[in-house]
Amino acid sequence: MKHLKFFIFLCILTFTISCGQQKKYIQYKVKSGETMSIIADKLNMKTIDLVRLNPDVTNEPVTDSFIVVPENKMSSFKDQIKVNVDNSNKKDTIIIDDTSEKENHLDELKEKFETYEVQKGDTFYSLNRNYNVSRDELLLLNPELKEGLKVGMIIKIKEKIDEVEVIGDFYTDYIQNGIDLKIALLLPFKTNTYRDSLSPKKAFTKNATLMNITTDFYMGAEIAVDSLRQQGVNIEFNVYDTGSRNTNINNLISEENLNKNDAIIGPIYSDEVENIAKNVNVPIIFPVYSSSQSKFNSSNVVKTSPDKNIFREELASYFIDSLTQGTLIIITDDKYKSIEKSSSFQASLAGSNIDEIHVLSPEKGFIDKSRFLKVLKPNEKNWVVMATDNNVIVADVINSLIGLPNDISAKLFAMDKEKVYDEIDNKKLARVGFTFVSNEFVDETSLVSKVFSRQYKDKNNALPSFYATKGFDITYDILVRLASGNSLKSTFKEGASFRVETKFDYTKKNKVSSNKGLFILQYNKDLTITKLK
């Protein structure tokens, strides 16, 4: 009865949040040559109404940038061009009888896609088993497959990826036939006291209630479970409410056989993780970042968020591998945290080919531009690394770099994109080539991102939030590794994996498996973000 009540509550909660997340407006990607009036005319709306929705956009919006448009207007526009789109798609997914035409068509498709000609007896399941591609992925590439597979169809299996330099090993997903998995998700839904809230900084980000975090994470995890079930994995998905902090964990340990699971995702409080880890012998997946996670010492704990010192080491590694013959300036303040960042970063640069390294600290609360001019070299490479999160110092430094003479330029780096940078105009960040270390990167044009967004919206009538995406990435990565039939730790040794927005690259440190998967990202002048590493 207790589990039934919780299940009913969870269904109601999911439905409520899903409904509350529905938007009347969606994003529209600006095409080359489009103005606000052209877009408004395309969507059959007044230009002034479109401008009111996007007050910061000029009459000539930046190509590939995003603006807000009414969802119903966009839907009407898509309906109008549906016939043309369908005709266009038929060029890529058709039945061709003439051999020469078939060969020409295949040559054209093979330039961009891996292709396959449907044979008698093929099913979505068999294609998934043979090519590791889901039904949703096939439908995105081949809309005509909504009517089913037909013998002779030439379909697109996967997009071809341009060859890039790959460093390290990458994990290859493999699913063992007939594999059965049990997974437990432990989150503080607080079904008895759900009015309480948690400061979410320790969990994911600022200004979010506990209900949003837990519910969105749960809905993302559900999509991961559904996706793997469609690929033939038998999954028993057990969801538990951990309640308020340290109120229900002991009850779960004593009343539930948590060891029956192949892995446990959660809880989100670091002290609760330690408690459970001492009482079970299955992998405990810590799904958030906590400043206390460095104290974990149980061998069955898996940290999915990199420790902050890893961010500094990653940036130092990038400097050593990619940057030579230039001047580096490290900006710090008089706080211990900032000084520690600066000193540890300098220590990590041992063996680099940087010509000069300078450390600048504020005097009377700011750093005068003249002090930059004394160390920056004209017509040479100059890099500035922020080892402080003081909003006044950060804003002052950026303004100084923007105002440098024409013959002097400097690129700005940060060890982590802390919240202080959210308060800086993105145009300013773009002007100084702001480059930072991050544990998340979303390529919205990638197939995996499109598939997840589509699956999530179909099920929840809303686009996935940050928390939902994190729930999907963590759950899918753990489950698909376990679905190989090998132990979780052995799969960690096989290499890194990339999901929708997260890189999982585990290493063993102090007995604990820790993710060190990070990205180096750069702001471009057109306000797009490029992954450098």
Side-chain angles (χ1 to χ4, degrees), residues 24-38:
K24 295 181 181 178
Y25 302 98
I26 60 175
Q27 288 185 325
Y28 173 85
K29 189 173 184 180
V30 178
K31 298 177 178 60
S32 177
E34 287 188 328
T35 63
M36 294 298 275
S37 60
I38 290 176

Side-chain angles (χ1 to χ4, degrees), residues 372 376 384 396-404 410-412 432:
F372 282 103
L376 294 174
V384 177
D396 179 57
V397 168
I398 291 176
N399 288 332
S400 294
L401 297 182
I402 290 176
L404 292 173
K411 188 173 183 178
L412 181 68
V432 294

Side-chain angles (χ1 to χ4, degrees), residues 225 400 472:
V225 172
S400 294
F472 173 86

Side-chain angles (χ1 to χ4, degrees), residues 9 33 42 51 84 118 127 137-138 188 218 220 239-240 248 264 337 367 456 467 519-520:
F9 169 83
K42 179 185 292 186
V51 172
N84 292 333
V118 177
L127 291 175
E137 290 173 326
L138 289 172
Y218 163 73
V239 183
Y240 299 94
N248 200 35
I264 299 171
K337 178 181 177 182
I367 302 175
Y456 190 91
Y467 318 113
F519 304 99
I520 303 290

Side-chain angles (χ1 to χ4, degrees), residues 7-163:
F7 176 74
I8 294 173
F9 169 83
L10 200 56
C11 292
I12 295 173
L13 186 62
T14 302
F15 176 76
T16 303
I17 295 296
S18 176
C19 291
Q21 289 178 335
Q22 294 186 46
K23 297 181 175 68
K24 295 181 181 178
Y25 302 98
I26 60 175
Q27 288 185 325
Y28 173 85
K29 189 173 184 180
V30 178
K31 298 177 178 60
S32 177
E34 287 188 328
T35 63
M36 294 298 275
S37 60
I38 290 176
I39 297 172
D41 183 62
K42 179 185 292 186
L43 300 179
N44 193 27
M45 63 185 298
K46 295 180 180 179
T47 302
I48 190 172
D49 291 334
L50 185 59
V51 172
R52 284 172 180 166
L53 289 175
N54 303 272
D56 297 331
V57 181
T58 64
N59 189 49
E60 296 184 2
V62 178
T63 300
D64 292 333
S65 64
F66 289 89
I67 63 173
V68 176
V69 301
E71 186 174 23
N72 60 342
K73 295 289 186 181
M74 193 65 197
S75 296
S76 298
F77 172 68
K78 289 181 178 180
D79 289 340
Q80 292 175 7
I81 64 172
K82 186 175 185 301
V83 174
N84 292 333
V85 172
D86 287 343
N87 289 337
S88 175
N89 284 330
K90 289 177 181 177
K91 295 178 182 179
D92 291 332
T93 309
I94 54 178
I95 300 175
I96 305 176
D97 295 325
D98 184 78
T99 302
S100 60
E101 288 186 32
K102 182 183 293 185
E103 291 177 351
N104 292 335
H105 182 67
L106 282 173
D107 290 340
E108 182 181 337
L109 287 184
K110 284 180 179 178
E111 293 180 4
K112 295 183 178 181
F113 302 94
E114 294 180 24
T115 60
Y116 175 75
E117 182 175 348
V118 177
Q119 307 294 318
K120 184 177 180 180
D122 281 336
T123 63
F124 285 112
Y125 179 78
S126 65
L127 291 175
N128 172 261
R129 300 301 303 178
N130 294 330
Y131 296 98
N132 192 28
V133 58
S134 68
R135 182 177 186 275
D136 287 312
E137 290 173 326
L138 289 172
L139 287 173
L140 274 177
L141 293 176
N142 309 276
E144 279 71 23
L145 292 183
K146 290 180 180 179
E147 300 176 4
L149 294 168
K150 298 179 181 178
V151 176
M153 274 184 167
I154 299 172
I155 62 175
K156 294 173 283 185
I157 296 294
K158 291 182 179 179
E159 292 176 313
K160 285 188 175 179
I161 302 175
D162 294 334
E163 291 186 4

Side-chain angles (χ1 to χ4, degrees), residues 9 18 64 81 89 112 198 217 228 253 260 290 311 373 426 430 446 460 465 529:
F9 169 83
S18 176
D64 292 333
I81 64 172
N89 284 330
K112 295 183 178 181
L198 162 72
F217 190 98
L228 285 166
I253 293 173
K260 69 181 180 181
S290 169
F311 284 66
L373 295 176
N426 284 342
S446 69
N460 301 301
S465 67
I529 295 179

